Amino acid sequence: EAGVTQFPSHSVIEKGQTVTLRCDPISGHDNLYWYRRVMGKEIKFLLHFVKESKQDESGMPNNRFLAERTGGTYSTLKVQPAELEDSGVYFCASSQDFRVGSNYGYTFGSGTRLTVV
Amino acid sequence: EDQVTQSPEALRLQEGESSSLNCSYTVSGLRGLFWYRQDPGKGPEFLFTLYSAGEEKEKERLKATLTKKESFLHITAPKPEDSATYLCAVQARQVGNEKLTFGTGTRLTIIP
C-alpha cells in the first residue's frame, strides 16, 4: 500500500509570508496527525483528526496555524504569517483505529522541512 | 506532564558489538510505548509497541523490553545498516488521547 505522502518536501519562505503544507494519509485511515520537530528538540504533537473532525488540537502553538481536513481525506496545515521560530520539520502520520495489545503503530510521512528566513 | 528521556544521545559501535539503548519515561498511566527508527531525511519508521511491564518484542537484531519506568532497545551483533536514530515515544491512557510524546532519540552509528 502507498504510504503517507507529504509535500512539498522542502519550503523556504520569508518571515510574514504564508505557507501551506499538505498530507495525504494512507487510504482508509480515519486518523491523521500532525507533528513538528524544531532544531535540536524532540518531535512534538500538534493535532489529531478523526475523519474531518479535530479530535485534539492541544499542541497547536498559536492561532497562526490552521489545520483542515476536508472530506476526511487529505489534510493541509497553513502557517500565516510565518515567523522565524516556525522553522522545523513537519511530519504527518495516519492510522486505523488503535487497538491496545496489537503490534501496531502510526505510519509517518517523510516530512516537510520548513525554513523561515 | 508526560516525559521521555533517551540515553545515550549518540552511540558508536563496531559491527557485531552488541549494546542497549535506554528510554526512561513518566506518564500518567501508560497505554503504549513505541519504538521508531528514523533515517536522515525520512520520517520515523515503526518498530515495536509495548503495553505492559515485562513485555518483550523482537525483530531481527532488535529486542525491546519494558519495565514500569523504562524501556530498553537491545541490538545484537549490529550491522552498518542498523545505523539510524532510534526514537522512543509514550502514549498516555486517557479517553480520546492518541498523542505520542517523543524523546530526542539516540543516534546510533555502526562502524564496519
Side-chain angles (χ1 to χ4, degrees):
Chain A
E1 63 180 3
V4 176
T5 305
Q6 293 186 246
F7 56 92
S9 56
H10 295 83
S11 181
V12 181
I13 62 171
E14 293 185 352
K15 176 181 171 180
Q17 289 187 323
T18 297
V19 63
T20 300
L21 314 182
R22 173 166 169 152
C23 169
D24 286 73
I26 292 173
S27 178
H29 282 191
D30 287 340
N31 296 284
L32 186 149
Y33 315 83
W34 284 98
Y35 286 82
R36 175 174 76 169
R37 184 171 197 162
V38 297
M39 182 74 76
K41 300 281 190 177
E42 69 274 20
I43 296 172
K44 284 196 171 180
F45 170 83
L46 296 178
L47 88 161
H48 169 205
F49 282 101
V50 178
K51 297 184 180 179
E52 67 275 10
S53 299
K54 292 176 185 174
Q55 173 77 11
D56 180 357
E57 51 184 330
S58 61
M60 294 289 265
N62 52 61
N63 59 10
R64 295 185 293 104
F65 289 75
L66 175 64
E68 294 181 323
R69 192 182 182 195
T70 306
T73 55
Y74 72 90
S75 175
T76 58
L77 180 64
K78 181 189 290 188
V79 185
Q80 179 183 28
E83 298 289 344
L84 299 179
E85 64 263 26
D86 300 332
S87 295
V89 182
Y90 290 76
F91 293 104
C92 176
S94 72
S95 75
Q96 298 169 321
D97 286 339
F98 184 78
R99 296 181 183 178
V100 174
S102 66
N103 192 39
Y104 185 81
Y106 302 87
T107 304
F108 282 78
S110 293
T112 294
R113 180 174 295 278
L114 175 64
T115 304
V116 183
V117 297
Chain B
E1 186 176 321
D2 304 337
Q3 196 163 8
V4 176
T5 303
Q6 292 189 247
S7 61
E9 287 187 14
L11 181 62
R12 290 170 63 90
L13 300 172
Q14 291 292 134
E15 183 173 359
E17 179 185 3
S18 301
S19 188
S20 295
L21 314 183
N22 177 264
C23 170
S24 298
Y25 66 91
T26 54
V27 64
S28 53
L30 180 70
R31 176 186 288 153
L33 184 141
F34 299 76
W35 281 99
Y36 282 86
R37 168 194 171 125
Q38 187 174 23
D39 293 298
K42 301 283 185 68
E45 176 188 342
F46 173 72
L47 293 173
F48 306 107
T49 309
L50 301 167
Y51 296 97
S52 57
E55 189 175 2
E56 298 183 353
K57 286 188 176 170
E58 289 189 64
K59 180 180 179 179
E60 295 180 355
R61 295 175 293 282
L62 299 175
K63 183 169 80 172
T65 61
L66 180 66
T67 73
K68 289 186 177 180
K69 294 183 178 181
E70 57 192 351
S71 178
F72 293 94
L73 185 65
H74 307 277
I75 181 160
T76 302
K79 299 181 178 181
E81 54 262 41
D82 296 320
S83 297
T85 294
Y86 290 84
L87 300 168
C88 173
V90 297
Q91 186 178 70
R93 192 189 318 118
Q94 296 171 356
V95 174
N97 170 64
E98 290 198 27
K99 174 179 71 174
L100 296 180
T101 299
F102 281 88
T104 51
T106 292
R107 188 171 65 255
L108 178 66
T109 304
I110 307 301
I111 304 163

